[in-house]
Structure formats: structure tokens, C-alpha cells
Amino acid sequence: MSPDQNLDKVLIIDFGSQFTQLIARRVRELGVFSEIVSHKKIKLKDINNSIKGIVLSGGPLNVYQINKYSFDKKILQFDVPVLGICFGHQILSKLNGGKVKQSKHREFGLANVYKKINSPLTTNFFGNKKSKQVWMSHADQVTKLPKNFKVLASSTNSKFAIVENKTKKYYGVQFHPEVTHTDNGKKLISNFIFSICKIKRNWTSKDQKKQLIKDLRQQIGNNKVICALSGGVDSSVVAQLLNKAIGKKLYCVFVNTGFLRKNEEVQVIQTFKRRLKINLIYVNAEKEFFKKLKNVSDPEKKRKIIGNLFIKIFEQYSKKIKNVKFLAQGTLYPDLIESKSVTGSQTSKIKSHHNVGGLPKKMNLKLVEPLKFLFKDEVRKLGLELNLNKEIISRHPFPGPGLAIRMPGIINNEKIKILKEADYYFIQALKNHGLYHKIWQAYAALLPVKTVGVMGDNRTYEYICLLRAITSEDGMTADYYEFKKSFMQSISNKIVNSIRGINRVVYDVTSKPPSTIELE
Ligand code: XMP
């Protein structure tokens, strides 16, 4: 279940809140391992001595919808401190004999909570003030506290905003300390972990590196591992981890589809083969991909053709290497959480196309997923710890099908050449203006439309280049980045003046949803 069964941890029981991942992140930011598990999946037998604290998350249910079939309340009788957040606070009260009132009206947004008495949970939370601004998002609320519970703070609408049962070490907060809108919320979480649960810090990048390398050696033994390297952050970190763990038993396959960014293959070979001395198999399959995609314009067909060909190449090389037993993948914790395997929730459709589907089953390889308990920012820190350079670690995400899904319509050599140049100028400009790291992802696309322009005294009839730059937390939702007019003017001039084939530049100002980040 966890990277190491003996690693002390905070267990977060998820009742479906959109902020559950944030709770896990806050705990880990404080240097303590945390793990999320669905209320439907957690069983009494899963509770062991490595669990030093339990957090009950918020969620859209009401306490009367939770019964013994969907959550085993005996879990709370295990002798560890419990912090209930929002719905978690209500269920904690209800299960201990308190009352929760169902309400049709939501209290949503900022509120003030007023301190009543001191407690280890609220030490230094209020500072020298009597009240604190917090973020609420609830309809129901606790109306009667269970026996032996005390009120630590109240708000105008929530009498029991922060509560405590000191003997049992049960704590409940009606608001969300994990969101940044709650002023000093992290202090509450920190007090819970360190003063109440008394956990020691065990989750630094250094610890993770050592632990992961040890686990990989144990899991892989003397066998061979194949790893699909894309040059992106996740696969690069997986490759370098395995390189440290098993050295030459690792074979990385890097496929040049022809739809990579300008000079990408050169950079990947330079970094992985020359600098990191990783076993790298470079496959130049540009011609094959191009041939298969000839006259294809349907976005889904493009994706499928690219995916299938990629698998075929991968299989060929896995056979050539011989006796490969494992396939390494850069699955991250959010991918796991979004899948049924951890939370029991529906697999997100938005992400289904991102996986290299079919690979493990078809090739009969066992999966190695060393990053499956990490968040993206943790992966980035781990990468630095593994001596990967900053440029790789902080790169914008890039989709597997690459530039092929950034030129709607039919693909041809001329378009690929034009698009590689436009994308290169855009990304360089972002770097030169110090904007690259403020933006989550940016790219240029080539629209299959020609329009009229005038250059010098001549009429032109050329393609439209679309620029997209977005801010995002995780790619699931996104907003467009607001550039200054001067930047937009300079990049538009640069592209139109330098690239033959483009005479118009447009900027995509749609958010996700309703749009997606990529065009296809
Ligand atoms: P969308 O377009 O779905 O993209 O809003 C969300 C994020 O996922 C990336 N993306 C992909 N990544 N293989 C990948 O590895 C893919 O097929 C793929 N399609 C989209 C996209 O670049 C964005 O970061």
C-alpha cells in the first residue's frame, strides 16, 4: 500500500472532497509521509502501527448517507489522533454521539473564527489576535457536541468551528485548513502532526531517493527493465532513479516520432547518453510515423495510429534486448488517485488518452512505477536530488503524440517544419522574458487555414499560427496567461517576419473547461 509499510504516516480517509489531495500535499510539505484511501476501501485490518494520525476529509455526502457498509467506524477506535475536516468534523461528531443538522443553505467562502480557549491544535494559529479568517464550504453542521468535546473556536454561523476531545485526541474543524484562503491553515495541520500525533519528519527528497532506490533493487533483482523515455520530467526521473538503482540492466528507449520539438532528440541524447551514461536506444522512426499518418486528419485516428506504432516499436526493441521482465512507467500519485484502484471513484476520462494503454498486457511485462506515491512537485524535487539538471526538471509538459496534435488537419513536411520553428521562437521568447516558469504550459500550433496578408508591397496567403499559454495546478483545469501587449507584439512580429509560411498570429484565450489544453 505505501512505499514502506514501516514508514510513519498520516492516513487521509477520503470522503470525496475536491481538496483531499491538498491535505496530503500539505502534510508532505511539512516533511511527513501521507497516504489517501477511500472511506469505502479502508478496513480495520489496514490500520497498523505506522499510522500515527488519521485525517477525515470533507466530502459532498451528508452524515446520514454513511453507514456501516460504506465506512467501518471501528477504525476510529484505534488509538491514534483524528482530525476531521468539514464533513470529516461532522462524521466524527456524529459517530461519537453528537448531532448534525441537515441544511439546504450553504456557507461558502471566507468567514472569521473567534478563539474561545487554548489547545495544542491552535497554538500560534491565532497569533496575537482573537480571530482568524478561514474558508468554509458546507451546508450541514454540528448542532450538538458529543460528550467530552470542547469548543475551541466559533464563527457567526458555526458554533462548533473548532472542537476537541483532549483525552481521545479527536479534533474537528468546520472549515478547510488545507486551502490557501484559510489564513495560517498550515499551522493547524502542523500542530496536529507534530504536537498531537508526535510524528517525526520522514519525507524529504533525500529520504525518498534512498528509499526508492532500495525498493527498486529489491523488486527488480537481477532482471532487465525497459523504460520509455520521452525527455519529459516524469520519465526522466524514472530513468535516472533506475539508472542509480540497477545501472546497465536498464534500457531506455527514446522514439523520435518526427513530431518532437526543435532539437529535442539532440538534447535527450546529450543528457541521457553522454552526461548520465544511461543505456539509451535512440529509434529514429520519423519516416514510419509520417507514412502511417499520410492523409489522416481525424484527431482520434491520429492519436490511435501514433499510439499503436509506438507500441509496435517498443515491442520490437523489447524482443531485441531479450529477457526483459519489467516495464518502467512514470505514473504519479494523482493518476492513481483518479483511478478506481485507490479511491473507488470513476477513472477520469480526460486523462485516459495519456496512458500508454495496452503495453503491459500485450508484452507480458511487470510494471515498475516508482513515482506512484509522489506528486509532480515532489517528482521535480526528487529529480534535482538525482542530479538531473533544472532545465529538464522544470520543462512544460509535452504530449506523447507531440506536434502531430498541434496541427489540425492533414500533416505534411512543410507544416512540421513551420511549426517547429514557430514553437521554438515562442518558447525562446518566454525564456528570454523570464515568463517560462510563470506559465504551466505553452506552445505554438498551426491552424489549417490560410489568410491574406501584406508584406512589403506584396500580397501573402499563408497559415495562421495559434499561440497557447496557460496557468494550471495539474492540467485538469486551466486558465489562459495574460501577456503584456508589448510581448504579444514582439512575438507576433518575430514569428511572421522570421518564418515563411505564417502571416498571422492569434492567441487562444479559452480556459479549460470548456476547451482542452491541446487542440486535438
Ligand atoms: P488536454 O488537452 O486533455 O491536456 O487538456 C491535458 C494535459 O495532458 C497533456 N496531454 C498528453 N500527455 N500523452 C501525454 O503524455 C497524450 O496523449 C496527451 N494528450 C494531452 C497536455 O499536453 C496537457 O498537459
Side-chain angles (χ1 to χ4, degrees):
M1 211 172 165
S2 77
D4 180 345
Q5 289 297 333
N6 300 319
L7 201 60
D8 285 351
K9 72 183 88 156
V10 172
L11 186 74
I12 297 156
I13 300 183
D14 178 34
F15 288 93
S17 163
Q18 53 178 320
F19 303 124
T20 305
Q21 281 198 44
L22 267 187
I23 307 172
R25 290 180 64 120
R26 296 291 170 258
V27 177
R28 291 187 186 193
E29 280 162 16
L30 290 161
V32 169
F33 182 58
S34 65
E35 197 171 18
I36 301 174
V37 62
S38 161
H39 68 278
K40 290 183 203 153
K41 286 211 152 191
I42 182 82
K43 298 276 171 289
L44 199 59
K45 66 175 170 49
D46 299 325
I47 309 290
N48 58 37
N49 286 334
S50 67
I51 296 168
K52 301 291 180 209
I54 293 177
V55 177
L56 307 175
S57 86
L61 302 166
N62 72 58
V63 292
Y64 301 96
Q65 290 168 309
I66 295 285
N67 56 39
K68 62 180 175 180
Y69 303 107
S70 55
F71 178 61
D72 185 351
K73 69 176 190 178
K74 286 200 199 101
I75 286 165
L76 301 182
Q77 286 159 15
F78 189 75
D79 189 23
V80 292
V82 178
L83 172 66
I85 294 178
C86 193
F87 172 83
H89 163 47
Q90 296 159 15
I91 190 89
L92 186 65
S93 294
K94 170 78 177 35
L95 293 176
N96 281 288
K99 280 200 179 135
V100 175
K101 196 173 149 218
Q102 284 180 276
S103 162
K104 285 192 188 117
H105 305 287
R106 281 168 72 85
E107 185 183 11
F108 185 82
L110 293 173
N112 282 314
V113 292
Y114 297 90
K115 182 176 165 179
K116 301 256 174 202
I117 52 172
N118 289 328
S119 145
L121 186 74
T122 51
T123 307
N124 295 330
F125 170 65
F126 287 97
N128 48 16
K129 300 213 172 94
K130 283 201 174 119
S131 74
K132 208 76 198 155
Q133 190 171 280
V134 300
W135 198 78
M136 299 269 192
S137 172
H138 68 111
D140 302 353
Q141 58 175 294
V142 179
T143 48
K144 183 173 168 268
L145 274 187
K147 239 168 89 185
N148 302 325
F149 274 68
K150 275 191 183 147
V151 185
L152 303 180
S154 301
S155 74
T156 318
N157 288 315
S158 302
K159 194 171 159 197
F160 307 120
I162 310 181
V163 303
E164 163 190 74
N165 176 334
K166 210 169 182 177
T167 328
K168 290 233 177 213
K169 296 191 183 152
Y170 284 169
Y171 293 85
V173 290
Q174 183 50 71
F175 52 92
H176 288 272
E178 70 277 25
V179 303
T180 46
H181 314 294
T182 292
D183 191 14
N184 212 14
K186 206 165 164 181
K187 186 74 204 157
L188 279 185
I189 298 175
S190 154
N191 286 340
F192 177 69
I193 299 173
F194 298 117
S195 314
I196 297 164
C197 303
K198 306 215 183 299
I199 307 186
K200 293 214 171 72
R201 285 190 171 81
N202 61 4
W203 196 247
T204 63
S205 308
K206 222 184 204 133
D207 295 326
Q208 287 163 38
K209 184 179 96 172
K210 270 199 234 151
Q211 181 71 42
L212 288 168
I213 290 177
K214 197 175 129 206
D215 288 353
L216 283 171
R217 285 188 182 138
Q218 216 164 28
Q219 186 186 0
I220 295 161
N222 257 330
N223 294 295
K224 287 183 191 165
V225 180
I226 192 167
C227 171
L229 187 69
S230 71
V233 184
D234 307 338
S235 71
S236 299
V237 173
V238 169
Q240 177 66 337
L241 250 183
L242 282 158
N243 184 35
K244 298 254 178 209
I246 59 164
K248 295 294 172 204
K249 281 177 281 181
L250 167 71
Y251 296 80
C252 287
V253 180
F254 173 62
V255 181
N256 182 354
T257 56
F259 308 122
L260 301 174
R261 287 167 284 198
K262 188 177 172 181
N263 294 334
E264 180 126 41
E265 61 281 16
V266 182
Q267 281 167 20
V268 170
I269 295 171
Q270 179 71 28
T271 307
F272 290 89
K273 201 166 190 153
R274 313 254 150 78
R275 198 169 77 77
L276 301 174
K277 311 265 182 266
I278 286 182
N279 257 342
L280 181 74
I281 301 168
Y282 170 66
V283 185
N284 188 345
E286 281 180 89
K287 284 195 184 131
E288 266 177 282
F289 277 93
F290 193 72
K291 211 169 126 197
K292 286 255 186 227
L293 285 166
K294 207 168 176 200
N295 295 327
V296 178
S297 58
D298 180 75
E300 273 310 296
K301 273 194 191 146
K302 278 185 190 173
R303 279 182 175 275
K304 288 215 171 91
I305 291 171
I306 294 171
N308 289 341
L309 187 52
F310 186 80
I311 291 170
K312 209 179 113 200
I313 294 173
F314 213 65
E315 275 180 322
Q316 277 170 7
Y317 279 85
S318 138
K319 275 185 198 143
K320 265 191 201 166
I321 299 164
K322 286 193 187 115
N323 301 326
V324 178
K325 196 163 172 196
F326 292 98
L327 166 72
Q329 279 200 162
T331 315
L332 303 192
Y333 201 38
D335 304 332
L336 265 200
I337 295 168
E338 276 152 20
S339 80
K340 276 186 177 170
S341 57
V342 172
T343 61
S345 61
Q346 293 301 315
T347 307
S348 160
K349 273 188 193 151
I350 303 166
K351 282 209 164 183
S352 61
H353 55 286
H354 306 168
N355 304 326
V356 193
L359 261 184
K361 262 189 231 151
K362 276 191 168 181
M363 302 208 306
N364 236 352
L365 294 171
K366 283 193 185 159
L367 274 187
V368 178
E369 297 173 305
L371 310 182
K372 70 178 174 188
F373 287 100
L374 304 188
F375 289 105
K376 191 91 174 179
D377 54 335
E378 292 178 314
V379 172
R380 291 200 156 116
K381 280 187 200 147
L382 179 65
L384 289 178
E385 193 63 45
L386 286 160
N387 288 331
L388 285 175
N389 62 29
K390 255 198 174 148
E391 207 167 311
I392 292 186
I393 296 306
S394 51
R395 297 185 87 180
H396 290 177
F398 186 67
L403 302 184
I405 56 164
R406 291 179 179 173
M407 51 176 96
I410 284 166
I411 294 167
N412 63 36
N413 265 326
E414 184 207 8
K415 283 184 179 176
I416 298 175
K417 222 171 121 202
I418 293 174
L419 181 52
K420 277 196 181 188
E421 289 301 311
D423 189 69
Y424 176 77
Y425 282 126
F426 184 34
I427 300 298
Q428 280 311 111
L430 293 178
K431 288 182 177 165
N432 294 342
H433 285 79
L435 296 170
Y436 186 79
H437 297 297
K438 293 186 180 158
I439 288 166
W440 199 80
Q441 187 172 7
Y443 67 84
L446 198 67
L447 300 186
V449 189
K450 286 191 173 180
T451 64
V452 173
V454 53
M455 283 181 92
D457 288 328
N458 292 321
R459 175 188 188 269
T460 56
Y461 187 56
E462 292 172 346
Y463 288 115
I464 301 177
C465 170
L466 173 141
L467 302 180
R468 185 125 169 91
I470 53 110
T471 53
S472 176
E473 275 270 315
D474 48 18
M476 303 294 284
T477 58
D479 202 357
Y480 77 91
Y481 185 82
E482 221 175 312
F483 290 114
K484 284 198 178 132
K485 186 177 175 189
S486 56
F487 176 82
M488 303 223 80
Q489 271 173 336
S490 76
I491 186 60
S492 157
N493 283 342
K494 181 81 188 166
I495 289 176
V496 172
N497 290 338
S498 318
I499 305 171
R500 198 167 274 250
I502 294 174
N503 67 354
R504 195 176 294 269
V505 174
V506 295
Y507 186 52
D508 188 341
V509 292
T510 33
S511 57
K512 173 185 177 177
S515 279
T516 52
I517 295 173
E518 301 292 343
L519 296 190
E520 295 195 321

mmCIF file of all heavy atoms in Angstrom, residues 284-305:
data_model
loop_
_atom_site.group_PDB
_atom_site.id
_atom_site.type_symbol
_atom_site.label_atom_id
_atom_site.label_comp_id
_atom_site.label_asym_id
_atom_site.label_seq_id
_atom_site.Cartn_x
_atom_site.Cartn_y
_atom_site.Cartn_z
ATOM 1 N N ASN A 284 15.029 6.285 -34.553
ATOM 2 C CA ASN A 284 14.506 7.322 -35.439
ATOM 3 C C ASN A 284 13.426 6.726 -36.324
ATOM 4 O O ASN A 284 13.713 6.034 -37.296
ATOM 5 C CB ASN A 284 15.634 7.915 -36.296
ATOM 6 C CG ASN A 284 15.115 9.119 -37.064
ATOM 7 O OD1 ASN A 284 13.899 9.314 -37.172
ATOM 8 N ND2 ASN A 284 16.011 9.925 -37.582
ATOM 9 N N ALA A 285 12.166 6.975 -35.956
ATOM 10 C CA ALA A 285 11.051 6.369 -36.688
ATOM 11 C C ALA A 285 10.240 7.443 -37.422
ATOM 12 O O ALA A 285 9.061 7.258 -37.716
ATOM 13 C CB ALA A 285 10.174 5.594 -35.714
ATOM 14 N N GLU A 286 10.888 8.552 -37.719
ATOM 15 C CA GLU A 286 10.188 9.673 -38.373
ATOM 16 C C GLU A 286 9.440 9.231 -39.628
ATOM 17 O O GLU A 286 8.272 9.557 -39.813
ATOM 18 C CB GLU A 286 11.210 10.745 -38.773
ATOM 19 C CG GLU A 286 11.645 11.618 -37.621
ATOM 20 C CD GLU A 286 12.665 12.653 -38.073
ATOM 21 O OE1 GLU A 286 12.235 13.737 -38.483
ATOM 22 O OE2 GLU A 286 13.867 12.363 -38.011
ATOM 23 N N LYS A 287 10.144 8.464 -40.474
ATOM 24 C CA LYS A 287 9.552 8.088 -41.770
ATOM 25 C C LYS A 287 8.324 7.204 -41.575
ATOM 26 O O LYS A 287 7.301 7.376 -42.228
ATOM 27 C CB LYS A 287 10.596 7.361 -42.619
ATOM 28 C CG LYS A 287 11.594 8.327 -43.213
ATOM 29 C CD LYS A 287 12.384 7.658 -44.327
ATOM 30 C CE LYS A 287 13.441 8.653 -44.814
ATOM 31 N NZ LYS A 287 14.778 8.072 -44.901
ATOM 32 N N GLU A 288 8.450 6.229 -40.666
ATOM 33 C CA GLU A 288 7.333 5.305 -40.418
ATOM 34 C C GLU A 288 6.093 6.049 -39.934
ATOM 35 O O GLU A 288 4.984 5.832 -40.404
ATOM 36 C CB GLU A 288 7.734 4.320 -39.312
ATOM 37 C CG GLU A 288 8.306 3.020 -39.823
ATOM 38 C CD GLU A 288 8.723 2.169 -38.652
ATOM 39 O OE1 GLU A 288 9.812 2.464 -38.101
ATOM 40 O OE2 GLU A 288 7.955 1.253 -38.287
ATOM 41 N N PHE A 289 6.290 6.956 -38.968
ATOM 42 C CA PHE A 289 5.154 7.715 -38.422
ATOM 43 C C PHE A 289 4.516 8.565 -39.522
ATOM 44 O O PHE A 289 3.293 8.626 -39.656
ATOM 45 C CB PHE A 289 5.606 8.595 -37.248
ATOM 46 C CG PHE A 289 5.659 7.851 -35.946
ATOM 47 C CD1 PHE A 289 6.833 7.251 -35.512
ATOM 48 C CD2 PHE A 289 4.530 7.731 -35.148
ATOM 49 C CE1 PHE A 289 6.889 6.556 -34.318
ATOM 50 C CE2 PHE A 289 4.574 7.034 -33.950
ATOM 51 C CZ PHE A 289 5.755 6.448 -33.537
ATOM 52 N N PHE A 290 5.380 9.198 -40.292
ATOM 53 C CA PHE A 290 4.899 10.097 -41.332
ATOM 54 C C PHE A 290 4.061 9.334 -42.361
ATOM 55 O O PHE A 290 2.995 9.776 -42.779
ATOM 56 C CB PHE A 290 6.115 10.764 -41.985
ATOM 57 C CG PHE A 290 5.737 11.921 -42.833
ATOM 58 C CD1 PHE A 290 5.306 13.108 -42.257
ATOM 59 C CD2 PHE A 290 5.787 11.825 -44.219
ATOM 60 C CE1 PHE A 290 4.930 14.183 -43.050
ATOM 61 C CE2 PHE A 290 5.410 12.896 -45.016
ATOM 62 C CZ PHE A 290 4.993 14.079 -44.427
ATOM 63 N N LYS A 291 4.565 8.151 -42.725
ATOM 64 C CA LYS A 291 3.884 7.329 -43.728
ATOM 65 C C LYS A 291 2.495 6.905 -43.226
ATOM 66 O O LYS A 291 1.505 6.997 -43.925
ATOM 67 C CB LYS A 291 4.738 6.082 -44.003
ATOM 68 C CG LYS A 291 4.622 5.557 -45.415
ATOM 69 C CD LYS A 291 5.673 4.518 -45.671
ATOM 70 C CE LYS A 291 5.030 3.245 -46.166
ATOM 71 N NZ LYS A 291 5.921 2.100 -46.059
ATOM 72 N N LYS A 292 2.451 6.462 -41.990
ATOM 73 C CA LYS A 292 1.182 5.977 -41.419
ATOM 74 C C LYS A 292 0.154 7.113 -41.281
ATOM 75 O O LYS A 292 -1.043 6.868 -41.254
ATOM 76 C CB LYS A 292 1.423 5.380 -40.029
ATOM 77 C CG LYS A 292 2.106 4.032 -40.069
ATOM 78 C CD LYS A 292 1.109 2.932 -39.771
ATOM 79 C CE LYS A 292 1.811 1.621 -39.666
ATOM 80 N NZ LYS A 292 1.393 0.515 -40.279
ATOM 81 N N LEU A 293 0.650 8.336 -41.139
ATOM 82 C CA LEU A 293 -0.280 9.445 -40.900
ATOM 83 C C LEU A 293 -0.654 10.205 -42.173
ATOM 84 O O LEU A 293 -1.381 11.196 -42.119
ATOM 85 C CB LEU A 293 0.333 10.419 -39.887
ATOM 86 C CG LEU A 293 0.299 9.915 -38.442
ATOM 87 C CD1 LEU A 293 1.209 10.731 -37.565
ATOM 88 C CD2 LEU A 293 -1.122 9.941 -37.885
ATOM 89 N N LYS A 294 -0.168 9.708 -43.275
ATOM 90 C CA LYS A 294 -0.431 10.383 -44.547
ATOM 91 C C LYS A 294 -1.941 10.486 -44.786
ATOM 92 O O LYS A 294 -2.659 9.505 -44.656
ATOM 93 C CB LYS A 294 0.235 9.600 -45.682
ATOM 94 C CG LYS A 294 0.591 10.467 -46.834
ATOM 95 C CD LYS A 294 1.490 9.782 -47.802
ATOM 96 C CE LYS A 294 1.682 10.745 -48.967
ATOM 97 N NZ LYS A 294 2.117 10.102 -50.143
ATOM 98 N N ASN A 295 -2.391 11.673 -45.085
ATOM 99 C CA ASN A 295 -3.813 11.955 -45.384
ATOM 100 C C ASN A 295 -4.766 11.711 -44.211
ATOM 101 O O ASN A 295 -5.971 11.644 -44.419
ATOM 102 C CB ASN A 295 -4.294 11.141 -46.587
ATOM 103 C CG ASN A 295 -3.567 11.555 -47.841
ATOM 104 O OD1 ASN A 295 -3.217 12.734 -47.977
ATOM 105 N ND2 ASN A 295 -3.296 10.606 -48.717
ATOM 106 N N VAL A 296 -4.242 11.533 -43.013
ATOM 107 C CA VAL A 296 -5.137 11.369 -41.853
ATOM 108 C C VAL A 296 -5.369 12.734 -41.219
ATOM 109 O O VAL A 296 -4.414 13.440 -40.901
ATOM 110 C CB VAL A 296 -4.514 10.413 -40.802
ATOM 111 C CG1 VAL A 296 -5.422 10.284 -39.591
ATOM 112 C CG2 VAL A 296 -4.236 9.059 -41.419
ATOM 113 N N SER A 297 -6.649 13.087 -41.028
ATOM 114 C CA SER A 297 -6.890 14.380 -40.382
ATOM 115 C C SER A 297 -7.733 14.241 -39.114
ATOM 116 O O SER A 297 -7.781 15.158 -38.296
ATOM 117 C CB SER A 297 -7.564 15.354 -41.349
ATOM 118 O OG SER A 297 -8.778 14.797 -41.790
ATOM 119 N N ASP A 298 -8.375 13.103 -38.928
ATOM 120 C CA ASP A 298 -9.209 12.931 -37.745
ATOM 121 C C ASP A 298 -8.330 12.833 -36.481
ATOM 122 O O ASP A 298 -7.438 11.990 -36.414
ATOM 123 C CB ASP A 298 -10.049 11.655 -37.895
ATOM 124 C CG ASP A 298 -10.926 11.430 -36.686
ATOM 125 O OD1 ASP A 298 -11.928 12.144 -36.569
ATOM 126 O OD2 ASP A 298 -10.570 10.567 -35.841
ATOM 127 N N PRO A 299 -8.600 13.689 -35.477
ATOM 128 C CA PRO A 299 -7.728 13.735 -34.291
ATOM 129 C C PRO A 299 -7.592 12.391 -33.585
ATOM 130 O O PRO A 299 -6.495 11.995 -33.191
ATOM 131 C CB PRO A 299 -8.411 14.722 -33.358
ATOM 132 C CG PRO A 299 -9.388 15.457 -34.169
ATOM 133 C CD PRO A 299 -9.694 14.656 -35.396
ATOM 134 N N GLU A 300 -8.707 11.677 -33.414
ATOM 135 C CA GLU A 300 -8.643 10.400 -32.693
ATOM 136 C C GLU A 300 -7.848 9.366 -33.479
ATOM 137 O O GLU A 300 -7.093 8.578 -32.928
ATOM 138 C CB GLU A 300 -10.055 9.879 -32.399
ATOM 139 C CG GLU A 300 -10.644 10.425 -31.105
ATOM 140 C CD GLU A 300 -9.701 10.290 -29.908
ATOM 141 O OE1 GLU A 300 -9.380 9.165 -29.518
ATOM 142 O OE2 GLU A 300 -9.283 11.324 -29.357
ATOM 143 N N LYS A 301 -8.036 9.386 -34.825
ATOM 144 C CA LYS A 301 -7.276 8.444 -35.665
ATOM 145 C C LYS A 301 -5.786 8.727 -35.531
ATOM 146 O O LYS A 301 -4.975 7.816 -35.417
ATOM 147 C CB LYS A 301 -7.709 8.571 -37.131
ATOM 148 C CG LYS A 301 -8.893 7.701 -37.462
ATOM 149 C CD LYS A 301 -9.061 7.589 -38.970
ATOM 150 C CE LYS A 301 -10.405 6.948 -39.269
ATOM 151 N NZ LYS A 301 -11.015 7.468 -40.486
ATOM 152 N N LYS A 302 -5.435 10.009 -35.556
ATOM 153 C CA LYS A 302 -4.016 10.382 -35.416
ATOM 154 C C LYS A 302 -3.456 9.799 -34.132
ATOM 155 O O LYS A 302 -2.415 9.150 -34.114
ATOM 156 C CB LYS A 302 -3.875 11.909 -35.324
ATOM 157 C CG LYS A 302 -3.889 12.643 -36.621
ATOM 158 C CD LYS A 302 -3.599 14.122 -36.327
ATOM 159 C CE LYS A 302 -3.817 14.982 -37.533
ATOM 160 N NZ LYS A 302 -3.715 16.417 -37.224
ATOM 161 N N ARG A 303 -4.189 10.022 -33.037
ATOM 162 C CA ARG A 303 -3.719 9.546 -31.734
ATOM 163 C C ARG A 303 -3.548 8.035 -31.722
ATOM 164 O O ARG A 303 -2.577 7.507 -31.203
ATOM 165 C CB ARG A 303 -4.723 9.937 -30.644
ATOM 166 C CG ARG A 303 -4.592 11.358 -30.177
ATOM 167 C CD ARG A 303 -5.591 11.638 -29.078
ATOM 168 N NE ARG A 303 -5.396 12.964 -28.533
ATOM 169 C CZ ARG A 303 -4.528 13.264 -27.578
ATOM 170 N NH1 ARG A 303 -3.786 12.324 -27.069
ATOM 171 N NH2 ARG A 303 -4.402 14.498 -27.144
ATOM 172 N N LYS A 304 -4.550 7.337 -32.294
ATOM 173 C CA LYS A 304 -4.502 5.866 -32.276
ATOM 174 C C LYS A 304 -3.332 5.346 -33.097
ATOM 175 O O LYS A 304 -2.607 4.444 -32.670
ATOM 176 C CB LYS A 304 -5.820 5.294 -32.804
ATOM 177 C CG LYS A 304 -6.940 5.486 -31.819
ATOM 178 C CD LYS A 304 -7.913 4.314 -31.829
ATOM 179 C CE LYS A 304 -8.889 4.457 -30.681
ATOM 180 N NZ LYS A 304 -10.106 5.199 -31.076
ATOM 181 N N ILE A 305 -3.151 5.917 -34.293
ATOM 182 C CA ILE A 305 -2.053 5.462 -35.166
ATOM 183 C C ILE A 305 -0.717 5.661 -34.443
ATOM 184 O O ILE A 305 0.131 4.769 -34.405
ATOM 185 C CB ILE A 305 -2.088 6.232 -36.515
ATOM 186 C CG1 ILE A 305 -3.321 5.802 -37.307
ATOM 187 C CG2 ILE A 305 -0.800 6.010 -37.307
ATOM 188 C CD1 ILE A 305 -3.593 6.624 -38.540
#
